Amino acid sequence: MKLSNFNFDLPENLLAEFPAENRDESKLMVIDRKTGEIEHKLFKDIVDYFGEGDVMVLNNTKVFPARLYGNKEKTGARIEVFLLRELSEEQRLWDVLVDPARKIRIGNKLYFGDDDSLVAEVIDNTTSRGRTLRFLYDGSYEEFRQKLQELGETPIPKYINREVVPEDAERYQTIYAKEEGAVAAPTAGLHFSKHLMKRLEINGIKFAEVTLHIGLGTFNPVEVEDLSKHKMDSEEIFITQEACDIVNEAKAEKKKVCAIGTTCMRALESSVSSNQTLNPFVGWTNKFIFPPYDFSIANCMVTNFHMPKSTLLMMISAFCGHDLMMKAYKEAVEKGYKFYSYGDAMLIL
């Protein structure tokens, strides 16, 4: 499989700028891998495909308001700072991306907030746009984190070509988000409403939660034709014994184990025992799943519609079968399905 196998024409008007009015009323395409049949439903109809003892695995990561705007000392130039990960709680060191990067050098100071109550000093260059910042703030660590919450905005992806609106803070977050640490939402989970989860629960579906903190690497384009040469960014994972017990019991009983989203699938496939069961795990994964690939844990999955040539599309191809996936995507374009983070969903059985 080469990079060019994953290209297709995506009309610009199919990129979702806003989410569906109600979470569970986005469109749902249902694909049966055995028969090749494709159905068109609403997301809330997902209830009809699962029964007693089936398990849905959710990524409970929580998006933090990672995008800040500051001003450079002396010139006052407006600089966007995107928080990637905290390097030291004690020293308040962060890995960030800055834009425009050419203006930001080691030793520069950036001021945030109308009252300049938060200051950061650039102490290192990491990549062309990457910097290490030390934040200077008079106050406790809790107050510092609260300040970041106040000043930061929801990091909706750049391709959504509009200003952030207050609703994004709620809608670019799953209703089961708990563990803060992601800079992008696990978007397949955005379709679940409280009401829908209650209906699933009443039908005997169990939920297992794992955590994978999504980094900006999820948006990184693949730039090599030979996929085996692409390097994924590492992302942090937590899989508890409790989640393993729920998943492994369902596997033993030949029930459905449904990964809700590509990040969830990646977490599951990063901690598999030699007898194909799920192991507890705390650590980092840079696993890149592309065809051909044998999946060990989940036997169905929910996912959104992804961009051409993306690593997410490659995972879907490996799970769904390439020809069937391309046929489904062609149908999605013809029927006006919305793509990407705020777009519609696909259930692959």
Side-chain angles (χ1 to χ4, degrees):
M1 278 285 180
K2 299 265 193 289
L3 178 62
S4 45
N5 293 127
F6 296 91
N7 203 9
F8 63 91
D9 287 329
L10 178 59
E12 220 169 278
N13 65 321
L14 294 184
L15 280 182
E17 294 270 296
F18 291 93
E21 194 171 335
N22 297 312
R23 284 181 186 265
D24 56 16
E25 289 185 349
S26 45
K27 291 181 189 171
L28 177 69
M29 179 185 280
V30 183
I31 300 174
D32 188 317
R33 290 182 290 168
K34 280 199 185 78
T35 64
E37 190 189 349
I38 296 174
E39 298 178 278
H40 303 284
K41 303 280 187 175
L42 288 180
F43 194 80
K44 59 188 177 185
D45 300 326
I46 201 168
V47 174
D48 303 335
Y49 295 90
F50 294 88
E52 186 82 38
D54 289 339
V55 169
M56 289 185 171
V57 188
L58 312 171
N59 181 4
N60 67 9
T61 188
K62 189 173 186 179
V63 180
F64 67 93
R67 193 175 273 129
L68 303 170
Y69 292 96
N71 297 97
K72 192 178 164 190
E73 64 178 338
K74 297 185 182 137
T75 66
R78 188 176 194 241
I79 306 293
E80 180 189 307
V81 173
F82 197 103
L83 302 173
L84 292 178
R85 60 176 68 110
E86 187 173 44
L87 301 174
S88 164
E89 185 176 307
E90 200 182 339
Q91 296 180 50
R92 299 183 188 172
L93 294 182
W94 282 75
D95 248 346
V96 305
L97 295 178
V98 291
D99 193 21
R102 65 182 186 282
K103 295 182 174 179
I104 303 301
R105 297 189 174 88
I106 293 172
N108 286 161
K109 283 202 170 81
L110 299 170
Y111 292 86
F112 301 90
D114 295 337
D115 54 358
D116 296 343
S117 55
L118 182 63
V119 182
E121 184 180 3
V122 181
I123 61 167
D124 199 6
N125 295 333
T126 50
T127 61
S128 59
R129 287 181 56 216
R131 302 288 184 272
T132 302
L133 295 190
R134 178 186 284 119
F135 282 97
L136 312 168
Y137 182 72
D138 295 329
S140 67
Y141 178 72
E142 286 67 31
E143 289 167 327
F144 164 63
R145 288 300 299 234
Q146 186 54 43
K147 196 69 183 170
L148 289 183
Q149 291 278 349
E150 275 169 36
L151 294 172
E153 71 174 33
T154 305
I156 61 172
K158 281 280 193 194
Y159 76 87
I160 295 182
N161 202 7
R162 61 168 173 81
E163 292 291 310
V164 172
V165 294
E167 291 76 53
D168 287 317
E170 183 207 346
R171 291 304 300 272
Y172 195 61
Q173 196 83 273
T174 62
I175 60 162
Y176 48 77
K178 284 193 189 91
E179 306 294 339
E180 192 170 85
V183 300
T187 55
L190 297 179
H191 305 284
F192 286 87
S193 63
K194 286 199 171 82
H195 178 65
L196 177 58
M197 290 191 79
K198 188 45 92 186
R199 284 177 66 204
L200 288 162
E201 221 174 287
I202 290 165
N203 284 11
I205 285 95
K206 296 176 184 169
F207 299 104
E209 294 186 8
V210 298
T211 307
L212 181 145
H213 290 317
I214 303 159
L216 267 193
T218 190
F219 301 119
N220 280 356
V222 179
E223 290 170 339
V224 285
E225 185 64 15
D226 177 355
L227 300 185
S228 64
K229 292 189 166 59
H230 177 68
K231 293 279 184 288
M232 292 288 276
D233 278 8
S234 289
E235 293 170 317
E236 198 172 10
I237 312 180
F238 302 87
I239 300 175
T240 62
Q241 185 64 56
E242 183 189 3
C244 294
D245 293 344
I246 295 168
V247 167
N248 292 335
E249 185 186 344
K251 276 202 75 177
E253 292 176 1
K254 305 269 191 290
K255 298 290 186 185
K256 287 192 179 99
V257 176
C258 186
I260 305 300
T262 54
T263 59
C264 206
M265 185 68 91
R266 217 165 142 233
L268 294 175
E269 290 296 316
S270 295
S271 190
V272 180
S273 73
S274 54
N275 57 359
Q276 309 291 287
T277 56
L278 184 62
N279 279 342
F281 186 80
V282 174
W284 295 77
T285 183
N286 62 353
K287 193 169 190 65
F288 175 29
I289 298 174
F290 61 96
Y293 183 87
D294 290 327
F295 290 83
S296 301
I297 305 295
N299 50 24
C300 50
M301 76 181 294
V302 173
T303 184
N304 277 24
F305 288 90
H306 305 294
M307 302 297 269
K309 296 184 176 180
S310 63
T311 57
L312 310 176
L313 189 66
M314 290 158 195
M315 181 195 289
I316 302 310
S317 165
F319 190 75
C320 183
H322 191 73
D323 293 344
L324 181 55
M325 180 196 76
M326 293 308 275
K327 178 186 166 196
Y329 266 60
K330 186 168 181 274
E331 204 161 307
V333 169
E334 284 165 5
K335 293 197 178 294
Y337 276 73
K338 291 288 189 184
F339 278 66
Y340 224 29
S341 301
Y342 274 151
D344 294 313
M346 175 190 273
L347 168 63
I348 307 170
L349 296 168

PDB file of all heavy atoms in Angstrom, residues 49-81:
ATOM      1  N   TYR A  49     -27.803  -2.093  16.739  1.00  0.00           N
ATOM      2  CA  TYR A  49     -26.729  -3.000  16.292  1.00  0.00           C
ATOM      3  C   TYR A  49     -25.978  -3.669  17.446  1.00  0.00           C
ATOM      4  O   TYR A  49     -25.051  -4.436  17.220  1.00  0.00           O
ATOM      5  CB  TYR A  49     -25.735  -2.231  15.401  1.00  0.00           C
ATOM      6  CG  TYR A  49     -26.378  -1.757  14.118  1.00  0.00           C
ATOM      7  CD1 TYR A  49     -26.993  -0.501  14.048  1.00  0.00           C
ATOM      8  CD2 TYR A  49     -26.417  -2.568  12.985  1.00  0.00           C
ATOM      9  CE1 TYR A  49     -27.607  -0.066  12.883  1.00  0.00           C
ATOM     10  CE2 TYR A  49     -27.024  -2.134  11.819  1.00  0.00           C
ATOM     11  CZ  TYR A  49     -27.630  -0.884  11.767  1.00  0.00           C
ATOM     12  OH  TYR A  49     -28.240  -0.460  10.616  1.00  0.00           O
ATOM     13  N   PHE A  50     -26.400  -3.355  18.678  1.00  0.00           N
ATOM     14  CA  PHE A  50     -25.705  -3.912  19.844  1.00  0.00           C
ATOM     15  C   PHE A  50     -26.702  -4.501  20.834  1.00  0.00           C
ATOM     16  O   PHE A  50     -27.837  -4.047  20.922  1.00  0.00           O
ATOM     17  CB  PHE A  50     -24.859  -2.821  20.530  1.00  0.00           C
ATOM     18  CG  PHE A  50     -23.722  -2.355  19.663  1.00  0.00           C
ATOM     19  CD1 PHE A  50     -23.902  -1.311  18.759  1.00  0.00           C
ATOM     20  CD2 PHE A  50     -22.485  -2.978  19.719  1.00  0.00           C
ATOM     21  CE1 PHE A  50     -22.867  -0.898  17.936  1.00  0.00           C
ATOM     22  CE2 PHE A  50     -21.440  -2.576  18.897  1.00  0.00           C
ATOM     23  CZ  PHE A  50     -21.627  -1.542  18.013  1.00  0.00           C
ATOM     24  N   GLY A  51     -26.248  -5.518  21.570  1.00  0.00           N
ATOM     25  CA  GLY A  51     -27.150  -6.179  22.522  1.00  0.00           C
ATOM     26  C   GLY A  51     -26.452  -6.504  23.831  1.00  0.00           C
ATOM     27  O   GLY A  51     -25.304  -6.120  24.071  1.00  0.00           O
ATOM     28  N   GLU A  52     -27.162  -7.221  24.671  1.00  0.00           N
ATOM     29  CA  GLU A  52     -26.712  -7.625  26.001  1.00  0.00           C
ATOM     30  C   GLU A  52     -25.272  -8.163  25.991  1.00  0.00           C
ATOM     31  O   GLU A  52     -24.952  -9.061  25.225  1.00  0.00           O
ATOM     32  CB  GLU A  52     -27.653  -8.720  26.503  1.00  0.00           C
ATOM     33  CG  GLU A  52     -27.417  -9.169  27.930  1.00  0.00           C
ATOM     34  CD  GLU A  52     -28.072  -8.253  28.957  1.00  0.00           C
ATOM     35  OE1 GLU A  52     -29.187  -7.762  28.714  1.00  0.00           O
ATOM     36  OE2 GLU A  52     -27.425  -8.045  29.990  1.00  0.00           O
ATOM     37  N   GLY A  53     -24.415  -7.577  26.819  1.00  0.00           N
ATOM     38  CA  GLY A  53     -23.051  -8.100  26.968  1.00  0.00           C
ATOM     39  C   GLY A  53     -22.045  -7.547  25.982  1.00  0.00           C
ATOM     40  O   GLY A  53     -20.833  -7.769  26.128  1.00  0.00           O
ATOM     41  N   ASP A  54     -22.497  -6.830  24.940  1.00  0.00           N
ATOM     42  CA  ASP A  54     -21.552  -6.186  24.025  1.00  0.00           C
ATOM     43  C   ASP A  54     -20.859  -5.026  24.756  1.00  0.00           C
ATOM     44  O   ASP A  54     -21.430  -4.454  25.698  1.00  0.00           O
ATOM     45  CB  ASP A  54     -22.270  -5.642  22.780  1.00  0.00           C
ATOM     46  CG  ASP A  54     -22.760  -6.754  21.851  1.00  0.00           C
ATOM     47  OD1 ASP A  54     -22.219  -7.876  21.943  1.00  0.00           O
ATOM     48  OD2 ASP A  54     -23.680  -6.490  21.045  1.00  0.00           O
ATOM     49  N   VAL A  55     -19.666  -4.689  24.300  1.00  0.00           N
ATOM     50  CA  VAL A  55     -18.881  -3.650  24.977  1.00  0.00           C
ATOM     51  C   VAL A  55     -18.503  -2.544  23.996  1.00  0.00           C
ATOM     52  O   VAL A  55     -18.113  -2.811  22.860  1.00  0.00           O
ATOM     53  CB  VAL A  55     -17.590  -4.254  25.583  1.00  0.00           C
ATOM     54  CG1 VAL A  55     -16.626  -3.163  26.050  1.00  0.00           C
ATOM     55  CG2 VAL A  55     -17.929  -5.161  26.760  1.00  0.00           C
ATOM     56  N   MET A  56     -18.648  -1.309  24.450  1.00  0.00           N
ATOM     57  CA  MET A  56     -18.109  -0.164  23.710  1.00  0.00           C
ATOM     58  C   MET A  56     -16.935   0.391  24.500  1.00  0.00           C
ATOM     59  O   MET A  56     -17.059   0.638  25.709  1.00  0.00           O
ATOM     60  CB  MET A  56     -19.176   0.919  23.529  1.00  0.00           C
ATOM     61  CG  MET A  56     -20.263   0.529  22.549  1.00  0.00           C
ATOM     62  SD  MET A  56     -21.418   1.899  22.279  1.00  0.00           S
ATOM     63  CE  MET A  56     -22.370   1.232  20.900  1.00  0.00           C
ATOM     64  N   VAL A  57     -15.803   0.552  23.822  1.00  0.00           N
ATOM     65  CA  VAL A  57     -14.609   1.077  24.484  1.00  0.00           C
ATOM     66  C   VAL A  57     -14.477   2.556  24.132  1.00  0.00           C
ATOM     67  O   VAL A  57     -14.444   2.930  22.959  1.00  0.00           O
ATOM     68  CB  VAL A  57     -13.338   0.309  24.055  1.00  0.00           C
ATOM     69  CG1 VAL A  57     -12.152   0.754  24.916  1.00  0.00           C
ATOM     70  CG2 VAL A  57     -13.541  -1.196  24.170  1.00  0.00           C
ATOM     71  N   LEU A  58     -14.430   3.393  25.173  1.00  0.00           N
ATOM     72  CA  LEU A  58     -14.431   4.848  25.000  1.00  0.00           C
ATOM     73  C   LEU A  58     -13.079   5.426  25.387  1.00  0.00           C
ATOM     74  O   LEU A  58     -12.449   4.958  26.345  1.00  0.00           O
ATOM     75  CB  LEU A  58     -15.494   5.479  25.913  1.00  0.00           C
ATOM     76  CG  LEU A  58     -16.891   4.856  25.907  1.00  0.00           C
ATOM     77  CD1 LEU A  58     -17.745   5.467  27.024  1.00  0.00           C
ATOM     78  CD2 LEU A  58     -17.573   5.077  24.558  1.00  0.00           C
ATOM     79  N   ASN A  59     -12.647   6.450  24.663  1.00  0.00           N
ATOM     80  CA  ASN A  59     -11.449   7.196  25.053  1.00  0.00           C
ATOM     81  C   ASN A  59     -11.900   8.394  25.883  1.00  0.00           C
ATOM     82  O   ASN A  59     -12.505   9.327  25.365  1.00  0.00           O
ATOM     83  CB  ASN A  59     -10.678   7.666  23.811  1.00  0.00           C
ATOM     84  CG  ASN A  59      -9.401   8.430  24.181  1.00  0.00           C
ATOM     85  OD1 ASN A  59      -9.056   8.540  25.350  1.00  0.00           O
ATOM     86  ND2 ASN A  59      -8.715   8.959  23.176  1.00  0.00           N
ATOM     87  N   ASN A  60     -11.609   8.348  27.206  1.00  0.00           N
ATOM     88  CA  ASN A  60     -12.142   9.377  28.109  1.00  0.00           C
ATOM     89  C   ASN A  60     -11.218  10.589  28.270  1.00  0.00           C
ATOM     90  O   ASN A  60     -11.326  11.339  29.232  1.00  0.00           O
ATOM     91  CB  ASN A  60     -12.464   8.769  29.479  1.00  0.00           C
ATOM     92  CG  ASN A  60     -11.218   8.302  30.224  1.00  0.00           C
ATOM     93  OD1 ASN A  60     -10.093   8.571  29.802  1.00  0.00           O
ATOM     94  ND2 ASN A  60     -11.407   7.599  31.333  1.00  0.00           N
ATOM     95  N   THR A  61     -10.301  10.783  27.317  1.00  0.00           N
ATOM     96  CA  THR A  61      -9.428  11.959  27.400  1.00  0.00           C
ATOM     97  C   THR A  61     -10.244  13.248  27.304  1.00  0.00           C
ATOM     98  O   THR A  61     -11.323  13.265  26.703  1.00  0.00           O
ATOM     99  CB  THR A  61      -8.355  11.936  26.284  1.00  0.00           C
ATOM    100  OG1 THR A  61      -7.423  13.002  26.509  1.00  0.00           O
ATOM    101  CG2 THR A  61      -8.969  12.127  24.906  1.00  0.00           C
ATOM    102  N   LYS A  62      -9.728  14.288  27.922  1.00  0.00           N
ATOM    103  CA  LYS A  62     -10.434  15.578  27.923  1.00  0.00           C
ATOM    104  C   LYS A  62      -9.548  16.626  27.244  1.00  0.00           C
ATOM    105  O   LYS A  62      -8.353  16.719  27.535  1.00  0.00           O
ATOM    106  CB  LYS A  62     -10.717  15.986  29.377  1.00  0.00           C
ATOM    107  CG  LYS A  62     -11.626  17.182  29.530  1.00  0.00           C
ATOM    108  CD  LYS A  62     -11.962  17.391  30.996  1.00  0.00           C
ATOM    109  CE  LYS A  62     -13.000  18.496  31.141  1.00  0.00           C
ATOM    110  NZ  LYS A  62     -13.374  18.727  32.543  1.00  0.00           N
ATOM    111  N   VAL A  63     -10.146  17.385  26.347  1.00  0.00           N
ATOM    112  CA  VAL A  63      -9.415  18.434  25.621  1.00  0.00           C
ATOM    113  C   VAL A  63      -9.223  19.635  26.546  1.00  0.00           C
ATOM    114  O   VAL A  63     -10.165  20.067  27.207  1.00  0.00           O
ATOM    115  CB  VAL A  63     -10.203  18.888  24.369  1.00  0.00           C
ATOM    116  CG1 VAL A  63      -9.450  19.971  23.610  1.00  0.00           C
ATOM    117  CG2 VAL A  63     -10.488  17.701  23.459  1.00  0.00           C
ATOM    118  N   PHE A  64      -7.998  20.144  26.610  1.00  0.00           N
ATOM    119  CA  PHE A  64      -7.820  21.382  27.384  1.00  0.00           C
ATOM    120  C   PHE A  64      -7.683  22.563  26.420  1.00  0.00           C
ATOM    121  O   PHE A  64      -7.338  22.375  25.248  1.00  0.00           O
ATOM    122  CB  PHE A  64      -6.646  21.279  28.363  1.00  0.00           C
ATOM    123  CG  PHE A  64      -5.280  21.168  27.761  1.00  0.00           C
ATOM    124  CD1 PHE A  64      -4.512  22.295  27.545  1.00  0.00           C
ATOM    125  CD2 PHE A  64      -4.742  19.926  27.436  1.00  0.00           C
ATOM    126  CE1 PHE A  64      -3.232  22.196  27.009  1.00  0.00           C
ATOM    127  CE2 PHE A  64      -3.463  19.818  26.906  1.00  0.00           C
ATOM    128  CZ  PHE A  64      -2.713  20.959  26.690  1.00  0.00           C
ATOM    129  N   PRO A  65      -8.005  23.786  26.901  1.00  0.00           N
ATOM    130  CA  PRO A  65      -7.980  24.957  26.003  1.00  0.00           C
ATOM    131  C   PRO A  65      -6.545  25.329  25.647  1.00  0.00           C
ATOM    132  O   PRO A  65      -5.921  26.167  26.288  1.00  0.00           O
ATOM    133  CB  PRO A  65      -8.687  26.056  26.806  1.00  0.00           C
ATOM    134  CG  PRO A  65      -8.655  25.607  28.214  1.00  0.00           C
ATOM    135  CD  PRO A  65      -8.491  24.128  28.249  1.00  0.00           C
ATOM    136  N   ALA A  66      -6.020  24.671  24.618  1.00  0.00           N
ATOM    137  CA  ALA A  66      -4.578  24.672  24.361  1.00  0.00           C
ATOM    138  C   ALA A  66      -4.076  25.858  23.537  1.00  0.00           C
ATOM    139  O   ALA A  66      -2.885  26.046  23.397  1.00  0.00           O
ATOM    140  CB  ALA A  66      -4.201  23.367  23.644  1.00  0.00           C
ATOM    141  N   ARG A  67      -4.991  26.638  22.974  1.00  0.00           N
ATOM    142  CA  ARG A  67      -4.545  27.728  22.088  1.00  0.00           C
ATOM    143  C   ARG A  67      -4.595  29.062  22.835  1.00  0.00           C
ATOM    144  O   ARG A  67      -5.660  29.477  23.312  1.00  0.00           O
ATOM    145  CB  ARG A  67      -5.433  27.759  20.840  1.00  0.00           C
ATOM    146  CG  ARG A  67      -4.882  28.616  19.729  1.00  0.00           C
ATOM    147  CD  ARG A  67      -5.732  28.509  18.467  1.00  0.00           C
ATOM    148  NE  ARG A  67      -5.343  27.398  17.623  1.00  0.00           N
ATOM    149  CZ  ARG A  67      -6.183  26.481  17.136  1.00  0.00           C
ATOM    150  NH1 ARG A  67      -7.468  26.541  17.420  1.00  0.00           N
ATOM    151  NH2 ARG A  67      -5.747  25.512  16.364  1.00  0.00           N
ATOM    152  N   LEU A  68      -3.446  29.705  22.940  1.00  0.00           N
ATOM    153  CA  LEU A  68      -3.354  31.004  23.620  1.00  0.00           C
ATOM    154  C   LEU A  68      -2.873  32.060  22.621  1.00  0.00           C
ATOM    155  O   LEU A  68      -2.173  31.731  21.664  1.00  0.00           O
ATOM    156  CB  LEU A  68      -2.308  30.967  24.743  1.00  0.00           C
ATOM    157  CG  LEU A  68      -2.409  29.946  25.866  1.00  0.00           C
ATOM    158  CD1 LEU A  68      -1.128  29.968  26.692  1.00  0.00           C
ATOM    159  CD2 LEU A  68      -3.577  30.264  26.762  1.00  0.00           C
ATOM    160  N   TYR A  69      -3.211  33.310  22.895  1.00  0.00           N
ATOM    161  CA  TYR A  69      -2.682  34.411  22.078  1.00  0.00           C
ATOM    162  C   TYR A  69      -1.949  35.374  23.000  1.00  0.00           C
ATOM    163  O   TYR A  69      -2.496  35.814  24.012  1.00  0.00           O
ATOM    164  CB  TYR A  69      -3.811  35.131  21.337  1.00  0.00           C
ATOM    165  CG  TYR A  69      -4.443  34.251  20.276  1.00  0.00           C
ATOM    166  CD1 TYR A  69      -5.602  33.534  20.544  1.00  0.00           C
ATOM    167  CD2 TYR A  69      -3.847  34.103  19.016  1.00  0.00           C
ATOM    168  CE1 TYR A  69      -6.160  32.704  19.583  1.00  0.00           C
ATOM    169  CE2 TYR A  69      -4.395  33.272  18.062  1.00  0.00           C
ATOM    170  CZ  TYR A  69      -5.556  32.571  18.345  1.00  0.00           C
ATOM    171  OH  TYR A  69      -6.098  31.742  17.400  1.00  0.00           O
ATOM    172  N   GLY A  70      -0.704  35.644  22.652  1.00  0.00           N
ATOM    173  CA  GLY A  70       0.098  36.560  23.466  1.00  0.00           C
ATOM    174  C   GLY A  70       0.697  37.652  22.609  1.00  0.00           C
ATOM    175  O   GLY A  70       0.529  37.672  21.389  1.00  0.00           O
ATOM    176  N   ASN A  71       1.380  38.560  23.254  1.00  0.00           N
ATOM    177  CA  ASN A  71       2.071  39.641  22.546  1.00  0.00           C
ATOM    178  C   ASN A  71       3.551  39.600  22.865  1.00  0.00           C
ATOM    179  O   ASN A  71       3.935  39.400  24.014  1.00  0.00           O
ATOM    180  CB  ASN A  71       1.496  41.004  22.952  1.00  0.00           C
ATOM    181  CG  ASN A  71       0.038  41.120  22.545  1.00  0.00           C
ATOM    182  OD1 ASN A  71      -0.852  40.889  23.376  1.00  0.00           O
ATOM    183  ND2 ASN A  71      -0.216  41.439  21.306  1.00  0.00           N
ATOM    184  N   LYS A  72       4.350  39.794  21.827  1.00  0.00           N
ATOM    185  CA  LYS A  72       5.798  39.771  21.985  1.00  0.00           C
ATOM    186  C   LYS A  72       6.255  41.066  22.645  1.00  0.00           C
ATOM    187  O   LYS A  72       5.727  42.145  22.335  1.00  0.00           O
ATOM    188  CB  LYS A  72       6.427  39.613  20.599  1.00  0.00           C
ATOM    189  CG  LYS A  72       7.897  39.280  20.623  1.00  0.00           C
ATOM    190  CD  LYS A  72       8.409  39.100  19.207  1.00  0.00           C
ATOM    191  CE  LYS A  72       9.916  39.158  19.193  1.00  0.00           C
ATOM    192  NZ  LYS A  72      10.457  39.221  17.850  1.00  0.00           N
ATOM    193  N   GLU A  73       7.221  40.939  23.561  1.00  0.00           N
ATOM    194  CA  GLU A  73       7.728  42.155  24.231  1.00  0.00           C
ATOM    195  C   GLU A  73       8.308  43.118  23.183  1.00  0.00           C
ATOM    196  O   GLU A  73       8.754  42.712  22.121  1.00  0.00           O
ATOM    197  CB  GLU A  73       8.789  41.781  25.269  1.00  0.00           C
ATOM    198  CG  GLU A  73      10.040  41.141  24.704  1.00  0.00           C
ATOM    199  CD  GLU A  73      11.088  40.843  25.766  1.00  0.00           C
ATOM    200  OE1 GLU A  73      11.042  41.483  26.816  1.00  0.00           O
ATOM    201  OE2 GLU A  73      11.932  39.971  25.523  1.00  0.00           O
ATOM    202  N   LYS A  74       8.271  44.372  23.495  1.00  0.00           N
ATOM    203  CA  LYS A  74       8.801  45.459  22.642  1.00  0.00           C
ATOM    204  C   LYS A  74       7.952  45.685  21.395  1.00  0.00           C
ATOM    205  O   LYS A  74       7.387  46.741  21.217  1.00  0.00           O
ATOM    206  CB  LYS A  74      10.274  45.245  22.268  1.00  0.00           C
ATOM    207  CG  LYS A  74      11.191  45.259  23.476  1.00  0.00           C
ATOM    208  CD  LYS A  74      12.663  45.178  23.080  1.00  0.00           C
ATOM    209  CE  LYS A  74      13.511  45.152  24.343  1.00  0.00           C
ATOM    210  NZ  LYS A  74      14.587  44.177  24.288  1.00  0.00           N
ATOM    211  N   THR A  75       7.811  44.671  20.514  1.00  0.00           N
ATOM    212  CA  THR A  75       7.091  44.923  19.256  1.00  0.00           C
ATOM    213  C   THR A  75       5.579  44.817  19.428  1.00  0.00           C
ATOM    214  O   THR A  75       4.817  45.387  18.650  1.00  0.00           O
ATOM    215  CB  THR A  75       7.489  43.910  18.164  1.00  0.00           C
ATOM    216  OG1 THR A  75       7.053  42.607  18.554  1.00  0.00           O
ATOM    217  CG2 THR A  75       8.990  43.889  17.941  1.00  0.00           C
ATOM    218  N   GLY A  76       5.129  44.050  20.446  1.00  0.00           N
ATOM    219  CA  GLY A  76       3.684  43.856  20.646  1.00  0.00           C
ATOM    220  C   GLY A  76       3.036  42.963  19.606  1.00  0.00           C
ATOM    221  O   GLY A  76       1.812  42.851  19.549  1.00  0.00           O
ATOM    222  N   ALA A  77       3.848  42.326  18.753  1.00  0.00           N
ATOM    223  CA  ALA A  77       3.290  41.455  17.699  1.00  0.00           C
ATOM    224  C   ALA A  77       2.441  40.343  18.330  1.00  0.00           C
ATOM    225  O   ALA A  77       2.797  39.780  19.365  1.00  0.00           O
ATOM    226  CB  ALA A  77       4.427  40.841  16.879  1.00  0.00           C
ATOM    227  N   ARG A  78       1.287  40.054  17.667  1.00  0.00           N
ATOM    228  CA  ARG A  78       0.385  39.013  18.189  1.00  0.00           C
ATOM    229  C   ARG A  78       0.945  37.639  17.807  1.00  0.00           C
ATOM    230  O   ARG A  78       1.196  37.360  16.636  1.00  0.00           O
ATOM    231  CB  ARG A  78      -1.010  39.194  17.587  1.00  0.00           C
ATOM    232  CG  ARG A  78      -2.067  38.282  18.226  1.00  0.00           C
ATOM    233  CD  ARG A  78      -3.429  38.602  17.627  1.00  0.00           C
ATOM    234  NE  ARG A  78      -4.520  38.026  18.396  1.00  0.00           N
ATOM    235  CZ  ARG A  78      -5.380  37.138  17.922  1.00  0.00           C
ATOM    236  NH1 ARG A  78      -5.268  36.698  16.675  1.00  0.00           N
ATOM    237  NH2 ARG A  78      -6.371  36.676  18.671  1.00  0.00           N
ATOM    238  N   ILE A  79       1.117  36.782  18.796  1.00  0.00           N
ATOM    239  CA  ILE A  79       1.702  35.462  18.577  1.00  0.00           C
ATOM    240  C   ILE A  79       0.735  34.390  19.090  1.00  0.00           C
ATOM    241  O   ILE A  79       0.234  34.481  20.218  1.00  0.00           O
ATOM    242  CB  ILE A  79       3.054  35.319  19.324  1.00  0.00           C
ATOM    243  CG1 ILE A  79       4.023  36.448  18.948  1.00  0.00           C
ATOM    244  CG2 ILE A  79       3.677  33.934  19.075  1.00  0.00           C
ATOM    245  CD1 ILE A  79       4.525  36.444  17.527  1.00  0.00           C
ATOM    246  N   GLU A  80       0.484  33.395  18.245  1.00  0.00           N
ATOM    247  CA  GLU A  80      -0.324  32.260  18.701  1.00  0.00           C
ATOM    248  C   GLU A  80       0.597  31.228  19.329  1.00  0.00           C
ATOM    249  O   GLU A  80       1.636  30.878  18.768  1.00  0.00           O
ATOM    250  CB  GLU A  80      -1.067  31.622  17.526  1.00  0.00           C
ATOM    251  CG  GLU A  80      -1.914  30.432  17.958  1.00  0.00           C
ATOM    252  CD  GLU A  80      -2.490  29.654  16.775  1.00  0.00           C
ATOM    253  OE1 GLU A  80      -3.127  30.285  15.909  1.00  0.00           O
ATOM    254  OE2 GLU A  80      -2.274  28.429  16.723  1.00  0.00           O
ATOM    255  N   VAL A  81       0.220  30.760  20.511  1.00  0.00           N
ATOM    256  CA  VAL A  81       0.981  29.719  21.212  1.00  0.00           C
ATOM    257  C   VAL A  81       0.056  28.523  21.414  1.00  0.00           C
ATOM    258  O   VAL A  81      -1.018  28.653  21.993  1.00  0.00           O
ATOM    259  CB  VAL A  81       1.482  30.238  22.584  1.00  0.00           C
ATOM    260  CG1 VAL A  81       2.114  29.105  23.390  1.00  0.00           C
ATOM    261  CG2 VAL A  81       2.475  31.369  22.391  1.00  0.00           C
TER     262      VAL A  81
END
